[in-house]
Amino acid sequence: MAFTISGFGREPADRQKNTPTNETQRRTTAPRKSVVQVSFPGRGGTLAYYNDRFDLKAGDRVYVEGKLEGQLGYVVSVNYSFKIKLSEYKRVIAVVDTHVHGEFYIAGSHFLTFDPSAIPAEQVTTWFRAPAADDEEYASGNDDASFHLDSLQEMHVSDAIAERGHNYYMENRVRYLCLDGTRGYAIVEGTQAYAVEFEYQDGEIRNLLCDCFCSYPCKHEVAAMLQLRETLEVVEKQYSAQYAQTGYFAVICKGTLFSFAIDGNDGGSFTL
């Protein structure tokens, strides 16, 4: 069964519409200076932040600098009339784009799309993780080892890690996964959200990496591979024609899509 989503979620007013979400894309609405009250899940009350980079509205999801850096917050109110001492205020550093539109298919616990613009990885990642700071540096390496997706024992994980990875998979902790040509990407939520990257071609997995920074195959990788295997089976059985047209698919956990893009919205539509 296919359905179409349109008009759900919040697209930041300072982003160009109908283009892939990207921090470097051209701004179309000038930022509007404000002092905003931001609420964070699990904390009582709100905190005030200075905003000079975005045109914020109540309900926007944002990231801030300071002690709560990396925590997703919700704008509760916006004040445009103010005079403050800047040294006493931290700033809003990013606003999250939760706008979703496109054609989706039902795939078990997840929704599936073959449209690269519907829920691109760079957009969904910000639902779980603050944008990387400009001064953050990473290094990675890979021995180019490979294994077959149908033989996950070739990952050489311990029984304990395999069991925990399977539990993550069963608990739908693989919130998002996409495969674009041979390049794959997943978001797996554990104590925090981790990014899993891999290459897939002709049933073989190469260059499997997770940014939990373990020096050995981890439960997040196991969970992502199980979700990839399930999704490929669904695609092959039910949606092979759609996949052949784009060479791309993405799946997102049903609860994740509803939580971020649909719940709390007054508008939007489904077409079944």
Side-chain angles (χ1 to χ4, degrees):
M1 176 184 292
F3 62 94
T4 301
I5 294 178
S6 61
F8 278 109
R10 290 180 177 270
E11 184 175 28
D14 57 345
R15 294 193 189 280
Q16 182 177 355
K17 294 184 182 297
N18 299 321
T19 59
T21 303
N22 191 307
E23 284 295 327
T24 61
Q25 75 181 62
R26 179 173 64 86
R27 303 294 184 180
T28 59
T29 302
R32 190 175 181 186
K33 293 181 180 180
S34 58
V35 172
V36 297
Q37 295 290 329
V38 180
S39 175
F40 298 88
R43 294 179 58 93
T46 63
L47 296 174
Y49 292 87
Y50 175 56
N51 163 59
D52 61 351
R53 294 178 55 185
F54 312 101
D55 182 16
L56 294 179
K57 301 291 187 295
D60 283 341
R61 304 187 188 208
V62 297
Y63 291 101
V64 301
E65 63 183 3
K67 292 182 179 180
L68 294 176
E69 181 177 353
Q71 300 288 322
L72 185 63
Y74 301 78
V75 175
V76 176
S77 63
V78 182
N79 181 16
Y80 298 114
S81 179
F82 64 91
K83 184 175 183 178
I84 60 173
K85 188 175 182 179
L86 287 179
S87 62
E88 297 179 351
Y89 281 77
K90 298 298 183 181
R91 282 177 163 84
V92 174
I93 60 173
V95 59
V96 177
D97 181 358
T98 60
H99 182 76
V100 172
H101 67 281
E103 187 174 29
F104 290 81
Y105 300 80
I106 295 175
S109 58
H110 289 60
F111 291 133
L112 170 68
T113 182
F114 301 97
D115 180 357
S117 68
I119 43 170
E122 62 268 24
Q123 176 186 0
V124 178
T125 298
T126 63
W127 297 4
F128 296 93
R129 299 154 59 106
D134 293 337
D135 59 352
E136 288 182 327
E137 296 185 22
Y138 298 91
S140 63
N142 204 294
D143 59 7
D144 204 35
S146 67
F147 60 89
H148 200 279
L149 188 59
D150 288 335
S151 302
L152 294 186
Q153 63 270 22
E154 296 177 10
M155 290 179 66
H156 302 298
V157 299
S158 68
D159 291 342
I161 289 177
E163 181 178 359
R164 294 175 70 185
H166 184 266
N167 289 340
Y168 271 30
Y169 160 70
M170 294 298 294
E171 294 166 2
N172 295 323
R173 289 176 178 257
V174 183
R175 306 302 190 191
Y176 174 85
L177 184 146
C178 68
L179 183 63
D180 188 357
T182 62
R183 298 183 60 182
Y185 177 84
I187 300 170
V188 183
E189 194 163 24
T191 52
Q192 63 185 62
Y194 296 102
V196 176
E197 300 175 76
F198 58 91
E199 295 177 13
Y200 173 81
Q201 188 171 21
D202 298 328
E204 293 286 323
I205 299 292
R206 293 183 181 274
N207 298 326
L208 177 61
L209 297 170
C210 178
D211 66 2
C212 70
F213 307 121
C214 287
S215 57
Y216 49 84
C218 66
K219 56 184 177 289
H220 313 109
E221 294 171 347
V222 172
M225 293 301 96
L226 290 170
Q227 186 63 56
L228 174 64
R229 188 166 67 185
E230 176 192 320
T231 303
L232 285 169
E233 291 174 353
V234 171
V235 168
E236 182 179 358
K237 291 179 181 178
Q238 301 183 46
Y239 307 117
S240 58
Q242 292 88 337
Y243 183 38
Q245 289 180 353
T246 63
Y248 168 94
F249 70 74
V251 288
I252 186 163
C253 183
K254 291 177 179 176
T256 296
L257 184 65
F258 275 88
S259 176
F260 281 86
I262 297 176
D263 286 354
N265 284 276
D266 296 327
S269 64
F270 278 93
T271 302
L272 294 175

